Amino acid sequence: CCLAEAFGILLFCNSFTSEGIKIITESREFAWMLPKLFKRAFDIHFDSYPSIEAPGKLIFQISDPEKIAVIMDACGFSRGSTLALHLNLPMVEENCCKASFLRGAFLAGGSVTDPEKGYHMELTTTHQAVARETRVLIHDAMNFTAKTASRNGGVVLYLKQSELISDFLTFLNAPVAAMGIMEARLEKELNNK
C-alpha cells in the first residue's frame, strides 16, 4: 500500500521522468508525510527538500540517477526506455492498494472546491494514459465514472456530485472531509426548504 500511494503521488506530481522527480506542494501535512512515505516505499531520501516552516510552496526533488533507477524499477518502468508513463495494474490489484494509489494521486494532483461555493473535485495529470487508466480504476473500485477535460496540456478527472465526492473521499480514508461535504449539502437542502 505504501508503494501504491507513492506511485500515485509520482504519476500525479509536477515532474516524474528518468532525469528527475519534482513534487511541489503548499500542504504542510503532505510535506511532513512525504519523506517518510518515500523512505518506507523505496528506502530513499529526497536530494533536496524544504523546511516545513518555510513560507509558500514546498519543493521536493530527486535528481540522483541511482535513486531514480530504484524508483523506476519499483514502479515497473525501465529507466531511459519508458516513453510514456502508465498505471502498473499489478501494483493496485487489492482494494486497499487502489485506495492508497488514489489517495497519493489526490495528495499530489487533486483538489476539492469549498462545498459552500459548489461541488467540484478533480485530479490533474499531464499523462494521457495515466488519466485514462485512473478513470478505469475509479470505475472499477467505486462503480462510478469520473468525467474528463483537457486543461493547459494536462488531463483533468473530475466529479461534480456531492454524493460521489463524499464517497470518493471516504474511499481515500478521509471521512472528516467527506462529512464536511455531506454537512454542506444538508445545510443547503435545509436552507432551500
Side-chain angles (χ1 to χ4, degrees):
C1 290
C2 284
L3 185 58
E5 187 168 347
F7 188 47
I9 290 169
L10 289 167
L11 292 181
F12 283 81
C13 73
N14 299 78
S15 177
F16 175 39
T17 67
S18 58
E19 281 75 48
I21 296 167
K22 182 189 263 186
I23 302 169
I24 301 173
T25 184
E26 290 184 17
S27 168
R28 300 303 186 246
E29 294 83 8
F30 180 46
W32 182 80
M33 61 82 67
L34 192 58
K36 295 174 187 175
L37 178 66
F38 271 61
K39 177 68 176 158
R40 283 179 46 209
F42 306 114
D43 196 28
I44 62 157
H45 297 282
F46 286 93
D47 293 334
S48 68
Y49 51 90
S51 167
I52 293 180
E53 290 82 31
K57 294 182 180 181
L58 306 174
I59 302 171
F60 294 82
Q61 294 186 38
I62 298 174
S63 55
D64 182 344
E66 290 180 20
K67 291 180 182 179
I68 294 171
V70 167
I71 292 171
M72 289 287 211
D73 185 51
C75 294
F77 301 120
S78 58
R79 189 170 184 266
S81 66
T82 300
L83 297 176
L85 298 177
H86 60 87
L87 187 60
N88 187 350
L89 294 177
M91 196 179 291
V92 292
E93 283 185 309
E94 302 296 325
N95 274 341
C96 58
C97 293
K98 289 175 184 171
S100 295
F101 172 82
L102 291 171
R103 182 173 41 253
F106 182 76
L107 287 170
S111 65
V112 176
T113 302
D114 181 358
E116 298 295 325
K117 298 177 182 171
Y119 304 114
H120 184 84
M121 191 237 36
E122 64 182 43
L123 297 172
T124 305
T125 183
T126 56
H127 310 290
Q128 296 282 336
V130 169
R132 186 176 55 251
E133 294 163 354
T134 302
R135 186 174 187 235
V136 171
L137 180 72
I138 291 170
H139 184 269
D140 180 49
M142 306 189 67
N143 204 26
F144 59 77
T145 304
K147 295 183 175 154
T148 60
S150 295
R151 185 187 312 145
N152 299 330
V155 181
V156 178
L157 300 170
Y158 67 93
L159 301 170
K160 285 207 168 264
Q161 296 175 337
S162 62
E163 297 87 9
L164 298 181
I165 296 170
S166 180
D167 289 348
F168 185 81
L169 292 171
T170 301
F171 186 72
L172 300 186
N173 200 19
V176 175
M179 285 302 296
I181 300 286
M182 295 309 293
E183 287 173 3
R185 190 190 90 192
L186 290 173
E187 189 174 313
K188 283 182 184 178
E189 287 178 4
L190 286 173
N191 287 340
N192 289 339
K193 288 181 181 179

